[in-house]
Every structure is written in C-alpha cells, then in structure tokens.
Amino acid sequence: EIGLAVIATSFTLIAVFLLIVEMLGLANLVSQESVRRTLVALRVTPMTVPELYIAKGVVGVGLAFVQSVAYLAIVGALGSHPLLLVSALLLGSVLVTAFGFLLASVGRDFFSIMGWGIIVMIVLVFPGFTVLFPGALSGWIKAIPSYWLVDIVNRVTGYGAGWAEA
C-alpha cells in the first residue's frame, strides 16, 4: 500500500508540473506576438481585445488541460473518481493560464519570460514538496494557490479520496 501511494505521488507531481510548464509556453506565446507585432495586426480585424484574450485563454486552458489529463490517462491514474480529477485539472489549467497572462504582461521577450517564469514556477511547484515530505512544512504553504490543486490530485490518485474528502 505504501508503494502504491509513492507511485501515485509521483503521478501527482508530474501532472501538476505539466500544467505549470504550460504556463511558460502561453506566456512566451503572448509575449512573442507582442514583440512580432502580430497583436497589432489582429487589431485591424473586427476582433475586439476581449475576444482576443478569451481566445488565447481558451487555447491556454485547452493545451494545459489536455496534456495533464492525457498523462494521467496514459499512466492509469484516472481510475478512481475521474470526474473529480478532470474538474481539478480544469481549474488548475485556468489557474496556470492566468499566471501565464500575468507573466506575459511582465516579460517582453523570451529571456524575461523565462527569468520571471522560473521564479513563479518555483513558487507554484513548492506545494508539491508537501506531498513528498508531509510534515516538513507549516500551514503558510496553503496560501500558495497551487497547494489546493496538488492536495486534491494527490488525495484522489494516491488515497482514493472522493468529492466529500476533496
């Protein structure tokens, strides 16, 4: 039983890490379109700015969500409570897409996106260590938004928790 929980823990961390890496991809995509002046070209079309960002957001959420769900499906971690896992990963995809937009607004090129992105990535990945070392960190870790995503995915994949426990 302990061995299965350790394997499920690694599934949890990799699935969440896939989401967080997509944050960098979306941020780089948006900043490159700003640098290459593609966004200015899109402003000539009848598309409005909110429609543009909604479209970018849907693509960002879709890319992150599909990759993480596909990974969990391939490794067989969607066995217990798949709807709960899919819901948590969808909300996690929205979270990392929002952080991707924030990074794109701060960074102006690939290197600034990577510089700021690594800092944000370290902060968002940090709650994963609460899964690996359960008693090592204090309660302040719950202030990081990705903690709740890591916690739900870990409980469901590793311990078979349902909707009530999550």
Side-chain angles (χ1 to χ4, degrees):
E1 172 117 0
I2 292 175
L4 291 175
V6 170
I7 291 171
T9 298
S10 65
F11 293 157
T12 301
L13 297 178
I14 293 172
V16 172
F17 191 72
L18 280 171
L19 286 175
I20 293 171
V21 168
E22 271 305 311
M23 169 191 66
L24 293 175
L26 177 66
N28 187 41
L29 174 73
V30 173
S31 74
Q32 287 299 316
E33 288 188 356
S34 177
V35 167
R36 293 182 181 158
R37 312 291 290 168
T38 318
L39 291 175
V40 175
L42 286 173
R43 288 291 298 141
V44 176
T45 67
M47 180 186 303
T48 64
V49 173
E51 290 172 343
L52 173 71
Y53 284 108
I54 288 171
K56 293 285 179 198
V58 168
V59 169
V61 168
L63 285 174
F65 175 70
V66 168
Q67 288 179 9
S68 61
V69 169
Y71 171 76
L72 287 180
I74 288 169
V75 298
L78 286 177
S80 67
H81 305 289
L83 185 60
L84 177 58
L85 275 175
V86 167
S87 300
L89 290 175
L90 181 62
L91 291 174
S93 300
V94 171
L95 172 75
V96 297
T97 300
F99 275 105
F101 278 130
L102 288 173
L103 278 174
S105 69
V106 172
R108 293 292 166 219
D109 60 353
F110 176 75
F111 292 110
S112 63
I113 292 291
M114 290 306 291
W116 287 107
I118 294 299
I119 294 169
V120 172
M121 183 185 289
I122 288 171
V123 170
L124 291 178
V125 168
F126 200 67
F129 292 113
T130 62
V131 173
L132 294 174
F133 308 107
L137 300 171
S138 61
W140 64 266
I141 198 77
K142 293 179 182 178
I144 300 173
S146 62
Y147 169 80
W148 302 103
L149 174 65
V150 169
D151 187 50
I152 289 173
V153 175
N154 178 48
R155 286 184 191 201
V156 173
T157 58
Y159 306 102
W163 288 93
E165 295 89 4

